[in-house]
mmCIF file of all heavy atoms in Angstrom:
data_model
loop_
_atom_site.group_PDB
_atom_site.id
_atom_site.type_symbol
_atom_site.label_atom_id
_atom_site.label_comp_id
_atom_site.label_asym_id
_atom_site.label_seq_id
_atom_site.Cartn_x
_atom_site.Cartn_y
_atom_site.Cartn_z
ATOM 1 N N MET I 1041 195.694 106.174 188.122
ATOM 2 C CA MET I 1041 194.334 105.846 188.550
ATOM 3 C C MET I 1041 193.523 107.122 188.741
ATOM 4 O O MET I 1041 193.949 108.066 189.407
ATOM 5 C CB MET I 1041 194.382 105.051 189.851
ATOM 6 C CG MET I 1041 193.032 104.539 190.304
ATOM 7 S SD MET I 1041 193.205 103.501 191.767
ATOM 8 C CE MET I 1041 191.476 103.317 192.193
ATOM 9 N N LYS I 1042 192.353 107.140 188.153
ATOM 10 C CA LYS I 1042 191.541 108.353 188.227
ATOM 11 C C LYS I 1042 190.872 108.507 189.581
ATOM 12 O O LYS I 1042 190.530 107.536 190.238
ATOM 13 C CB LYS I 1042 190.472 108.339 187.125
ATOM 14 C CG LYS I 1042 191.063 108.586 185.755
ATOM 15 C CD LYS I 1042 189.973 108.737 184.718
ATOM 16 C CE LYS I 1042 190.581 109.063 183.366
ATOM 17 N NZ LYS I 1042 189.540 109.203 182.337
ATOM 18 N N LYS I 1043 190.674 109.747 189.936
ATOM 19 C CA LYS I 1043 189.997 110.066 191.183
ATOM 20 C C LYS I 1043 188.569 110.489 190.880
ATOM 21 O O LYS I 1043 188.218 110.803 189.756
ATOM 22 C CB LYS I 1043 190.730 111.201 191.896
ATOM 23 C CG LYS I 1043 192.146 110.815 192.312
ATOM 24 C CD LYS I 1043 192.870 112.005 192.880
ATOM 25 C CE LYS I 1043 194.289 111.633 193.281
ATOM 26 N NZ LYS I 1043 195.051 112.805 193.752
ATOM 27 N N ILE I 1044 187.755 110.498 191.922
ATOM 28 C CA ILE I 1044 186.359 110.897 191.771
ATOM 29 C C ILE I 1044 186.159 112.198 192.541
ATOM 30 O O ILE I 1044 186.542 112.313 193.701
ATOM 31 C CB ILE I 1044 185.400 109.813 192.298
ATOM 32 C CG1 ILE I 1044 185.723 108.468 191.631
ATOM 33 C CG2 ILE I 1044 183.952 110.196 192.014
ATOM 34 C CD1 ILE I 1044 185.013 107.298 192.258
ATOM 35 N N TRP I 1045 185.540 113.144 191.862
ATOM 36 C CA TRP I 1045 185.328 114.472 192.446
ATOM 37 C C TRP I 1045 183.845 114.791 192.463
ATOM 38 O O TRP I 1045 183.109 114.400 191.563
ATOM 39 C CB TRP I 1045 186.064 115.529 191.609
ATOM 40 C CG TRP I 1045 187.509 115.224 191.398
ATOM 41 C CD1 TRP I 1045 188.031 114.451 190.395
ATOM 42 C CD2 TRP I 1045 188.623 115.661 192.196
ATOM 43 N NE1 TRP I 1045 189.402 114.392 190.532
ATOM 44 C CE2 TRP I 1045 189.789 115.125 191.620
ATOM 45 C CE3 TRP I 1045 188.729 116.461 193.340
ATOM 46 C CZ2 TRP I 1045 191.055 115.359 192.156
ATOM 47 C CZ3 TRP I 1045 189.986 116.694 193.864
ATOM 48 C CH2 TRP I 1045 191.139 116.150 193.284
ATOM 49 N N ARG I 1046 183.444 115.537 193.468
ATOM 50 C CA ARG I 1046 182.035 115.934 193.574
ATOM 51 C C ARG I 1046 181.946 117.433 193.781
ATOM 52 O O ARG I 1046 182.648 118.000 194.627
ATOM 53 C CB ARG I 1046 181.367 115.217 194.748
ATOM 54 C CG ARG I 1046 179.922 115.640 194.958
ATOM 55 C CD ARG I 1046 179.253 114.865 196.079
ATOM 56 N NE ARG I 1046 179.903 115.057 197.376
ATOM 57 C CZ ARG I 1046 179.669 116.123 198.168
ATOM 58 N NH1 ARG I 1046 178.828 117.055 197.811
ATOM 59 N NH2 ARG I 1046 180.284 116.228 199.324
ATOM 60 N N CYS I 1047 181.047 118.068 193.018
ATOM 61 C CA CYS I 1047 180.793 119.493 193.218
ATOM 62 C C CYS I 1047 179.997 119.674 194.508
ATOM 63 O O CYS I 1047 178.957 119.044 194.683
ATOM 64 C CB CYS I 1047 180.018 120.056 192.023
ATOM 65 S SG CYS I 1047 179.533 121.776 192.242
ATOM 66 N N THR I 1048 180.489 120.513 195.391
ATOM 67 C CA THR I 1048 179.811 120.704 196.674
ATOM 68 C C THR I 1048 178.548 121.547 196.535
ATOM 69 O O THR I 1048 177.751 121.635 197.448
ATOM 70 C CB THR I 1048 180.746 121.376 197.690
ATOM 71 O OG1 THR I 1048 181.234 122.593 197.131
ATOM 72 C CG2 THR I 1048 181.921 120.480 198.027
ATOM 73 N N VAL I 1049 178.378 122.175 195.382
ATOM 74 C CA VAL I 1049 177.216 123.032 195.160
ATOM 75 C C VAL I 1049 176.058 122.238 194.548
ATOM 76 O O VAL I 1049 174.928 122.288 195.031
ATOM 77 C CB VAL I 1049 177.586 124.228 194.265
ATOM 78 C CG1 VAL I 1049 176.373 125.117 193.994
ATOM 79 C CG2 VAL I 1049 178.699 125.039 194.925
ATOM 80 N N CYS I 1050 176.344 121.482 193.479
ATOM 81 C CA CYS I 1050 175.253 120.822 192.762
ATOM 82 C C CYS I 1050 175.388 119.297 192.726
ATOM 83 O O CYS I 1050 174.592 118.629 192.080
ATOM 84 C CB CYS I 1050 175.164 121.368 191.336
ATOM 85 S SG CYS I 1050 176.577 120.913 190.315
ATOM 86 N N ASN I 1051 176.417 118.744 193.403
ATOM 87 C CA ASN I 1051 176.643 117.298 193.465
ATOM 88 C C ASN I 1051 176.982 116.665 192.116
ATOM 89 O O ASN I 1051 176.788 115.460 191.934
ATOM 90 C CB ASN I 1051 175.444 116.568 194.092
ATOM 91 C CG ASN I 1051 175.420 116.754 195.587
ATOM 92 O OD1 ASN I 1051 176.445 117.008 196.210
ATOM 93 N ND2 ASN I 1051 174.247 116.620 196.174
ATOM 94 N N ASP I 1052 177.473 117.443 191.176
ATOM 95 C CA ASP I 1052 177.941 116.902 189.907
ATOM 96 C C ASP I 1052 179.159 116.013 190.160
ATOM 97 O O ASP I 1052 180.008 116.351 190.986
ATOM 98 C CB ASP I 1052 178.309 118.065 188.980
ATOM 99 C CG ASP I 1052 178.735 117.571 187.612
ATOM 100 O OD1 ASP I 1052 177.915 116.931 186.945
ATOM 101 O OD2 ASP I 1052 179.879 117.839 187.221
ATOM 102 N N ILE I 1053 179.226 114.875 189.493
ATOM 103 C CA ILE I 1053 180.355 113.953 189.658
ATOM 104 C C ILE I 1053 181.293 114.070 188.468
ATOM 105 O O ILE I 1053 180.847 114.111 187.317
ATOM 106 C CB ILE I 1053 179.852 112.498 189.769
ATOM 107 C CG1 ILE I 1053 178.932 112.337 190.981
ATOM 108 C CG2 ILE I 1053 181.028 111.531 189.852
ATOM 109 C CD1 ILE I 1053 179.605 112.537 192.310
ATOM 110 N N HIS I 1054 182.597 114.141 188.755
ATOM 111 C CA HIS I 1054 183.611 114.219 187.701
ATOM 112 C C HIS I 1054 184.691 113.184 187.971
ATOM 113 O O HIS I 1054 185.180 113.064 189.077
ATOM 114 C CB HIS I 1054 184.218 115.627 187.678
ATOM 115 C CG HIS I 1054 185.339 115.768 186.684
ATOM 116 N ND1 HIS I 1054 185.104 115.980 185.346
ATOM 117 C CD2 HIS I 1054 186.681 115.704 186.836
ATOM 118 C CE1 HIS I 1054 186.267 116.045 184.714
ATOM 119 N NE2 HIS I 1054 187.247 115.882 185.586
ATOM 120 N N TYR I 1055 185.073 112.444 186.903
ATOM 121 C CA TYR I 1055 186.165 111.486 187.000
ATOM 122 C C TYR I 1055 187.396 112.073 186.334
ATOM 123 O O TYR I 1055 187.300 112.604 185.230
ATOM 124 C CB TYR I 1055 185.795 110.182 186.283
ATOM 125 C CG TYR I 1055 184.640 109.448 186.912
ATOM 126 C CD1 TYR I 1055 183.345 109.670 186.474
ATOM 127 C CD2 TYR I 1055 184.868 108.539 187.935
ATOM 128 C CE1 TYR I 1055 182.277 108.991 187.046
ATOM 129 C CE2 TYR I 1055 183.805 107.861 188.509
ATOM 130 C CZ TYR I 1055 182.514 108.089 188.064
ATOM 131 O OH TYR I 1055 181.464 107.425 188.624
ATOM 132 N N GLY I 1056 188.539 111.966 186.983
ATOM 133 C CA GLY I 1056 189.757 112.459 186.351
ATOM 134 C C GLY I 1056 190.870 112.635 187.365
ATOM 135 O O GLY I 1056 190.686 112.436 188.559
ATOM 136 N N ASN I 1057 192.020 113.023 186.854
ATOM 137 C CA ASN I 1057 193.163 113.224 187.738
ATOM 138 C C ASN I 1057 193.020 114.483 188.577
ATOM 139 O O ASN I 1057 193.552 114.576 189.673
ATOM 140 C CB ASN I 1057 194.440 113.295 186.915
ATOM 141 C CG ASN I 1057 194.748 111.958 186.250
ATOM 142 O OD1 ASN I 1057 194.523 110.911 186.838
ATOM 143 N ND2 ASN I 1057 195.232 112.004 185.039
ATOM 144 N N CYS I 1058 192.308 115.464 188.051
ATOM 145 C CA CYS I 1058 192.082 116.697 188.791
ATOM 146 C C CYS I 1058 190.680 117.218 188.474
ATOM 147 O O CYS I 1058 190.121 116.891 187.436
ATOM 148 C CB CYS I 1058 193.147 117.735 188.458
ATOM 149 S SG CYS I 1058 193.238 118.130 186.722
ATOM 150 N N PRO I 1059 190.120 118.006 189.348
ATOM 151 C CA PRO I 1059 188.750 118.492 189.139
ATOM 152 C C PRO I 1059 188.715 119.626 188.122
ATOM 153 O O PRO I 1059 189.718 120.307 187.919
ATOM 154 C CB PRO I 1059 188.341 118.999 190.525
ATOM 155 C CG PRO I 1059 189.636 119.416 191.144
ATOM 156 C CD PRO I 1059 190.672 118.441 190.628
ATOM 157 N N PRO I 1060 187.577 119.857 187.487
ATOM 158 C CA PRO I 1060 187.435 121.000 186.587
ATOM 159 C C PRO I 1060 187.622 122.299 187.359
ATOM 160 O O PRO I 1060 187.236 122.380 188.529
ATOM 161 C CB PRO I 1060 185.991 120.891 186.068
ATOM 162 C CG PRO I 1060 185.556 119.503 186.385
ATOM 163 C CD PRO I 1060 186.335 119.085 187.596
ATOM 164 N N ALA I 1061 188.204 123.309 186.722
ATOM 165 C CA ALA I 1061 188.386 124.601 187.387
ATOM 166 C C ALA I 1061 187.039 125.246 187.666
ATOM 167 O O ALA I 1061 186.855 125.906 188.684
ATOM 168 C CB ALA I 1061 189.251 125.506 186.529
ATOM 169 N N VAL I 1062 186.104 125.028 186.748
ATOM 170 C CA VAL I 1062 184.760 125.584 186.905
ATOM 171 C C VAL I 1062 183.761 124.460 186.674
ATOM 172 O O VAL I 1062 183.878 123.704 185.717
ATOM 173 C CB VAL I 1062 184.506 126.719 185.888
ATOM 174 C CG1 VAL I 1062 183.100 127.278 186.037
ATOM 175 C CG2 VAL I 1062 185.533 127.830 186.062
ATOM 176 N N CYS I 1063 182.792 124.331 187.552
ATOM 177 C CA CYS I 1063 181.776 123.296 187.398
ATOM 178 C C CYS I 1063 180.951 123.566 186.140
ATOM 179 O O CYS I 1063 180.419 124.666 185.975
ATOM 180 C CB CYS I 1063 180.869 123.280 188.622
ATOM 181 S SG CYS I 1063 179.512 122.111 188.469
ATOM 182 N N PRO I 1064 180.828 122.585 185.236
ATOM 183 C CA PRO I 1064 180.068 122.804 183.999
ATOM 184 C C PRO I 1064 178.568 122.912 184.232
ATOM 185 O O PRO I 1064 177.842 123.391 183.369
ATOM 186 C CB PRO I 1064 180.407 121.563 183.162
ATOM 187 C CG PRO I 1064 180.785 120.521 184.154
ATOM 188 C CD PRO I 1064 181.450 121.257 185.300
ATOM 189 N N THR I 1065 178.108 122.463 185.377
ATOM 190 C CA THR I 1065 176.680 122.479 185.660
ATOM 191 C C THR I 1065 176.234 123.772 186.352
ATOM 192 O O THR I 1065 175.317 124.444 185.917
ATOM 193 C CB THR I 1065 176.292 121.273 186.526
ATOM 194 O OG1 THR I 1065 176.701 120.083 185.847
ATOM 195 C CG2 THR I 1065 174.790 121.230 186.770
ATOM 196 N N CYS I 1066 176.917 124.137 187.423
ATOM 197 C CA CYS I 1066 176.497 125.319 188.181
ATOM 198 C C CYS I 1066 177.467 126.494 188.034
ATOM 199 O O CYS I 1066 177.200 127.573 188.543
ATOM 200 C CB CYS I 1066 176.315 124.957 189.655
ATOM 201 S SG CYS I 1066 177.845 124.514 190.502
ATOM 202 N N ARG I 1067 178.612 126.265 187.336
ATOM 203 C CA ARG I 1067 179.570 127.314 186.999
ATOM 204 C C ARG I 1067 180.231 127.973 188.207
ATOM 205 O O ARG I 1067 180.677 129.112 188.145
ATOM 206 C CB ARG I 1067 178.916 128.386 186.113
ATOM 207 C CG ARG I 1067 178.334 127.792 184.842
ATOM 208 C CD ARG I 1067 177.900 128.830 183.857
ATOM 209 N NE ARG I 1067 177.191 128.222 182.735
ATOM 210 C CZ ARG I 1067 177.806 127.614 181.712
ATOM 211 N NH1 ARG I 1067 179.104 127.539 181.683
ATOM 212 N NH2 ARG I 1067 177.096 127.099 180.734
ATOM 213 N N VAL I 1068 180.273 127.246 189.326
ATOM 214 C CA VAL I 1068 181.000 127.737 190.487
ATOM 215 C C VAL I 1068 182.458 127.306 190.375
ATOM 216 O O VAL I 1068 182.750 126.178 189.989
ATOM 217 C CB VAL I 1068 180.364 127.198 191.790
ATOM 218 C CG1 VAL I 1068 181.214 127.546 192.999
ATOM 219 C CG2 VAL I 1068 178.964 127.760 191.947
ATOM 220 N N LYS I 1069 183.375 128.199 190.711
ATOM 221 C CA LYS I 1069 184.797 127.891 190.623
ATOM 222 C C LYS I 1069 185.267 127.132 191.859
ATOM 223 O O LYS I 1069 184.849 127.431 192.976
ATOM 224 C CB LYS I 1069 185.608 129.187 190.498
ATOM 225 C CG LYS I 1069 185.371 129.903 189.189
ATOM 226 C CD LYS I 1069 186.218 131.174 189.129
ATOM 227 C CE LYS I 1069 185.956 131.915 187.826
ATOM 228 N NZ LYS I 1069 186.713 133.193 187.778
ATOM 229 N N ASN I 1070 186.159 126.164 191.625
ATOM 230 C CA ASN I 1070 186.810 125.409 192.694
ATOM 231 C C ASN I 1070 185.813 124.805 193.690
ATOM 232 O O ASN I 1070 186.032 124.827 194.891
ATOM 233 C CB ASN I 1070 187.807 126.304 193.441
ATOM 234 C CG ASN I 1070 188.872 126.842 192.504
ATOM 235 O OD1 ASN I 1070 189.374 126.129 191.653
ATOM 236 N ND2 ASN I 1070 189.201 128.106 192.651
ATOM 237 N N ALA I 1071 184.736 124.270 193.178
ATOM 238 C CA ALA I 1071 183.709 123.725 194.058
ATOM 239 C C ALA I 1071 183.870 122.223 194.277
ATOM 240 O O ALA I 1071 183.141 121.635 195.068
ATOM 241 C CB ALA I 1071 182.327 124.017 193.466
ATOM 242 N N TYR I 1072 184.827 121.590 193.602
ATOM 243 C CA TYR I 1072 184.954 120.136 193.671
ATOM 244 C C TYR I 1072 185.805 119.672 194.842
ATOM 245 O O TYR I 1072 186.837 120.253 195.148
ATOM 246 C CB TYR I 1072 185.557 119.587 192.383
ATOM 247 C CG TYR I 1072 184.562 119.531 191.244
ATOM 248 C CD1 TYR I 1072 184.315 120.649 190.469
ATOM 249 C CD2 TYR I 1072 183.875 118.364 190.959
ATOM 250 C CE1 TYR I 1072 183.403 120.607 189.422
ATOM 251 C CE2 TYR I 1072 182.964 118.302 189.938
ATOM 252 C CZ TYR I 1072 182.733 119.423 189.165
ATOM 253 O OH TYR I 1072 181.835 119.371 188.144
ATOM 254 N N VAL I 1073 185.354 118.591 195.477
ATOM 255 C CA VAL I 1073 186.139 117.921 196.514
ATOM 256 C C VAL I 1073 186.288 116.454 196.118
ATOM 257 O O VAL I 1073 185.416 115.882 195.476
ATOM 258 C CB VAL I 1073 185.475 118.029 197.904
ATOM 259 C CG1 VAL I 1073 185.494 119.465 198.392
ATOM 260 C CG2 VAL I 1073 184.062 117.475 197.889
ATOM 261 N N GLU I 1074 187.410 115.857 196.504
ATOM 262 C CA GLU I 1074 187.620 114.448 196.202
ATOM 263 C C GLU I 1074 186.784 113.578 197.129
ATOM 264 O O GLU I 1074 186.707 113.837 198.331
ATOM 265 C CB GLU I 1074 189.104 114.104 196.365
ATOM 266 C CG GLU I 1074 189.390 112.680 195.898
ATOM 267 C CD GLU I 1074 190.866 112.338 196.035
ATOM 268 O OE1 GLU I 1074 191.662 113.233 196.368
ATOM 269 O OE2 GLU I 1074 191.204 111.172 195.797
ATOM 270 N N ILE I 1075 186.163 112.560 196.570
ATOM 271 C CA ILE I 1075 185.364 111.635 197.378
ATOM 272 C C ILE I 1075 185.838 110.214 197.111
ATOM 273 O O ILE I 1075 186.472 109.935 196.090
ATOM 274 C CB ILE I 1075 183.862 111.765 197.084
ATOM 275 C CG1 ILE I 1075 183.559 111.492 195.607
ATOM 276 C CG2 ILE I 1075 183.367 113.152 197.470
ATOM 277 C CD1 ILE I 1075 182.071 111.451 195.302
ATOM 278 N N ASP I 1076 185.514 109.301 197.995
ATOM 279 C CA ASP I 1076 185.906 107.913 197.770
ATOM 280 C C ASP I 1076 184.799 107.175 197.006
ATOM 281 O O ASP I 1076 183.703 107.686 196.801
ATOM 282 C CB ASP I 1076 186.264 107.214 199.079
ATOM 283 C CG ASP I 1076 185.122 107.196 200.065
ATOM 284 O OD1 ASP I 1076 183.948 107.146 199.632
ATOM 285 O OD2 ASP I 1076 185.385 107.229 201.272
ATOM 286 N N LYS I 1077 185.120 105.958 196.583
ATOM 287 C CA LYS I 1077 184.206 105.232 195.706
ATOM 288 C C LYS I 1077 182.879 104.897 196.362
ATOM 289 O O LYS I 1077 181.844 104.912 195.709
ATOM 290 C CB LYS I 1077 184.880 103.955 195.200
ATOM 291 C CG LYS I 1077 185.906 104.247 194.136
ATOM 292 C CD LYS I 1077 186.534 102.970 193.621
ATOM 293 C CE LYS I 1077 187.546 103.303 192.529
ATOM 294 N NZ LYS I 1077 188.348 102.131 192.141
ATOM 295 N N SER I 1078 182.899 104.601 197.636
ATOM 296 C CA SER I 1078 181.643 104.250 198.294
ATOM 297 C C SER I 1078 180.704 105.457 198.361
ATOM 298 O O SER I 1078 179.498 105.327 198.213
ATOM 299 C CB SER I 1078 181.914 103.706 199.698
ATOM 300 O OG SER I 1078 182.566 104.672 200.489
ATOM 301 N N GLU I 1079 181.304 106.638 198.541
ATOM 302 C CA GLU I 1079 180.475 107.849 198.573
ATOM 303 C C GLU I 1079 179.924 108.150 197.188
ATOM 304 O O GLU I 1079 178.760 108.524 197.036
ATOM 305 C CB GLU I 1079 181.290 109.032 199.096
ATOM 306 C CG GLU I 1079 180.421 110.253 199.348
ATOM 307 C CD GLU I 1079 181.223 111.455 199.848
ATOM 308 O OE1 GLU I 1079 182.401 111.284 200.211
ATOM 309 O OE2 GLU I 1079 180.675 112.548 199.853
ATOM 310 N N ALA I 1080 180.749 107.972 196.157
ATOM 311 C CA ALA I 1080 180.298 108.213 194.788
ATOM 312 C C ALA I 1080 179.155 107.271 194.422
ATOM 313 O O ALA I 1080 178.175 107.676 193.800
ATOM 314 C CB ALA I 1080 181.458 108.024 193.826
ATOM 315 N N ARG I 1081 179.288 106.025 194.838
ATOM 316 C CA ARG I 1081 178.263 105.041 194.548
ATOM 317 C C ARG I 1081 176.940 105.417 195.214
ATOM 318 O O ARG I 1081 175.873 105.336 194.626
ATOM 319 C CB ARG I 1081 178.741 103.692 195.071
ATOM 320 C CG ARG I 1081 177.924 102.523 194.591
ATOM 321 C CD ARG I 1081 178.598 101.261 195.062
ATOM 322 N NE ARG I 1081 178.091 100.089 194.418
ATOM 323 C CZ ARG I 1081 178.601 98.874 194.596
ATOM 324 N NH1 ARG I 1081 179.629 98.710 195.395
ATOM 325 N NH2 ARG I 1081 178.092 97.849 193.980
ATOM 326 N N PHE I 1082 177.042 105.905 196.446
ATOM 327 C CA PHE I 1082 175.849 106.322 197.183
ATOM 328 C C PHE I 1082 175.158 107.485 196.474
ATOM 329 O O PHE I 1082 173.940 107.496 196.303
ATOM 330 C CB PHE I 1082 176.243 106.723 198.612
ATOM 331 C CG PHE I 1082 175.104 107.284 199.419
ATOM 332 C CD1 PHE I 1082 174.128 106.440 199.944
ATOM 333 C CD2 PHE I 1082 175.005 108.648 199.646
ATOM 334 C CE1 PHE I 1082 173.082 106.966 200.685
ATOM 335 C CE2 PHE I 1082 173.948 109.166 200.384
ATOM 336 C CZ PHE I 1082 172.990 108.325 200.908
ATOM 337 N N ILE I 1083 175.930 108.453 196.024
ATOM 338 C CA ILE I 1083 175.363 109.633 195.369
ATOM 339 C C ILE I 1083 174.694 109.254 194.051
ATOM 340 O O ILE I 1083 173.603 109.716 193.727
ATOM 341 C CB ILE I 1083 176.460 110.692 195.130
ATOM 342 C CG1 ILE I 1083 176.898 111.265 196.473
ATOM 343 C CG2 ILE I 1083 175.975 111.798 194.201
ATOM 344 C CD1 ILE I 1083 178.170 112.084 196.409
ATOM 345 N N MET I 1084 175.356 108.368 193.278
ATOM 346 C CA MET I 1084 174.830 108.032 191.965
ATOM 347 C C MET I 1084 173.595 107.148 192.027
ATOM 348 O O MET I 1084 172.865 107.034 191.065
ATOM 349 C CB MET I 1084 175.925 107.376 191.115
ATOM 350 C CG MET I 1084 177.005 108.398 190.784
ATOM 351 S SD MET I 1084 178.222 107.834 189.579
ATOM 352 C CE MET I 1084 178.829 106.359 190.310
ATOM 353 N N GLU I 1085 173.361 106.543 193.197
ATOM 354 C CA GLU I 1085 172.171 105.715 193.344
ATOM 355 C C GLU I 1085 170.958 106.511 193.797
ATOM 356 O O GLU I 1085 169.847 106.006 193.839
ATOM 357 C CB GLU I 1085 172.439 104.575 194.338
ATOM 358 C CG GLU I 1085 173.302 103.489 193.716
ATOM 359 C CD GLU I 1085 173.678 102.422 194.733
ATOM 360 O OE1 GLU I 1085 173.326 102.563 195.905
ATOM 361 O OE2 GLU I 1085 174.342 101.453 194.337
ATOM 362 N N LEU I 1086 171.161 107.768 194.124
ATOM 363 C CA LEU I 1086 170.042 108.603 194.572
ATOM 364 C C LEU I 1086 169.078 108.897 193.424
ATOM 365 O O LEU I 1086 169.498 109.008 192.292
ATOM 366 C CB LEU I 1086 170.567 109.920 195.144
ATOM 367 C CG LEU I 1086 171.292 109.821 196.476
ATOM 368 C CD1 LEU I 1086 171.847 111.193 196.847
ATOM 369 C CD2 LEU I 1086 170.380 109.323 197.585
HETATM 370 ZN ZN1 LIG L 1558 178.348 122.288 190.397
#
């Protein structure tokens, strides 16, 4: 089951088993934290 990750710098959302090493949007390393589905839904509705 895939997890949902959010970049703490630019709020980019990533789906997968593990987060990207470098955020493709803001290029910060190790900026992703795991979030739950309700939080992801809230962010994507903004
Ligand atoms: Zn980012």
Side-chain angles (χ1 to χ4, degrees):
M1041 186 175 171
K1042 287 187 177 180
K1043 296 174 181 176
I1044 306 170
W1045 307 87
R1046 177 177 61 82
C1047 175
T1048 55
V1049 179
C1050 68
N1051 284 336
D1052 183 61
I1053 299 295
H1054 176 81
Y1055 295 92
N1057 293 323
C1058 58
V1062 179
C1063 176
T1065 304
C1066 67
R1067 303 190 187 281
V1068 172
K1069 293 181 181 177
N1070 301 319
Y1072 283 84
V1073 292
E1074 187 179 354
I1075 59 173
D1076 59 32
K1077 285 182 179 171
S1078 60
E1079 189 181 348
R1081 192 174 193 175
F1082 175 76
I1083 291 167
M1084 292 189 304
E1085 285 175 357
L1086 290 175

